[in-house]
Amino acid sequence: MEVILLERVEKLGAIGDVVKVKDGFARNYLLPNKKALRSNAANRKVFEANRARIEADNASRRSDAEKEAGNFNDVSVTLIRQASNTGQLYGSVAARDLVDAITADGHKVTKAQVVLDRPIKSIGVYEIKVALHPEVSVTVKVNVARSPEEAEMQSQGVDVMTAMFEKDEAGFTEDYDPNAEPGATAEVQSAPAEDENAEG
């Protein structure tokens, strides 16, 4: 299906471009969200008649978004979630969770503005794109951790999972007795000797 874009759509084109898209994408996304019109003679006339107004509206929305983007300098949100020892989250962090966290931080965003390719499923620090306008986007740092202390370590650049495994390896040492029989521990071997001393 050919459509006329009413606003810039990433990877498609700018206002006024006539582009060919899949029918489902046009019917389910572009047309209902008023991002495009079907490309036909009548709609082209309507678009050309209203082009100046559409472009002016877009320019004013873009300038509002640019002002809003100024408030997003170094925005970072922390989400405390339960996770396994390997850092896999029980459940995942979706766009809705990010919207709640960013809104709680005092910024106004909608779920549609959060660009999340796939849900976050493990702890760590992620950079998430927030599209305030088709031509204006900002980056928000999202710190997903199991505790505030862990979040603090991650924000300082420490890889918590690596640090945890290094600590585990350092803390585990095995007592080795070269005279021990295979499969027997040092305590078991020394016990009978003590008993003989007690009898004699």
Side-chain angles (χ1 to χ4, degrees):
M1 182 187 295
E2 283 200 342
V3 294
I4 305 166
L5 296 180
L6 297 177
E7 64 176 53
R8 182 180 174 275
V9 179
E10 205 166 322
K11 297 180 185 152
L12 266 189
I15 294 175
D17 286 358
V18 176
V19 293
K20 203 169 178 62
V21 294
K22 290 194 170 131
D23 291 1
F25 182 56
R27 276 199 301 268
N28 299 330
Y29 178 69
L30 295 175
L31 300 175
N33 290 318
K34 309 225 182 317
K35 292 179 183 289
L37 290 172
R38 285 174 193 270
S39 179
N40 57 35
N43 280 344
R44 274 193 208 103
K45 281 184 190 148
V46 169
F47 176 77
E48 288 307 328
N50 294 318
R51 185 177 194 129
R53 183 182 57 77
I54 291 168
E55 288 180 348
D57 286 354
N58 182 58
S60 76
R61 285 202 322 270
R62 185 175 60 221
S63 67
D64 290 348
E66 283 166 351
K67 280 185 207 141
E68 180 68 24
N71 301 333
F72 270 87
N73 285 346
D74 300 327
V75 169
S76 139
V77 293
T78 301
L79 297 170
I80 304 300
R81 291 285 188 270
Q82 290 186 331
S84 68
N85 290 342
T86 58
Q88 292 298 309
L89 298 180
Y90 300 131
S92 61
V93 175
R96 188 181 59 247
D97 303 314
L98 298 174
V99 169
D100 294 345
I102 295 168
T103 306
D105 199 44
H107 301 282
K108 206 171 144 208
V109 292
T110 63
K111 191 175 163 201
Q113 291 174 318
V114 175
V115 181
L116 192 61
D117 300 329
R118 57 184 175 274
I120 296 171
K121 295 192 173 186
S122 59
I123 63 172
V125 178
Y126 299 87
E127 292 201 341
I128 304 298
K129 187 170 135 186
V130 177
L132 300 174
H133 178 272
E135 296 164 44
V136 181
S137 62
V138 292
T139 303
V140 173
K141 211 175 242 176
V142 179
N143 189 342
V144 182
R146 289 176 290 195
S147 66
E149 296 78 26
E150 204 170 78
E152 183 60 36
M153 283 169 65
Q154 284 185 163
S155 67
Q156 291 166 2
V158 176
D159 183 346
V160 175
M161 295 316 297
T162 309
M164 189 173 79
F165 284 119
E166 281 172 3
K167 210 186 303 169
D168 280 0
E169 284 166 15
F172 180 74
T173 52
E174 190 176 342
D175 288 337
Y176 176 68
D177 181 356
N179 302 324
E181 287 180 27
T185 59
E187 297 83 35
V188 174
Q189 288 225 322
S190 61
E194 286 169 9
D195 292 341
E196 284 167 15
N197 293 345
E199 286 169 11

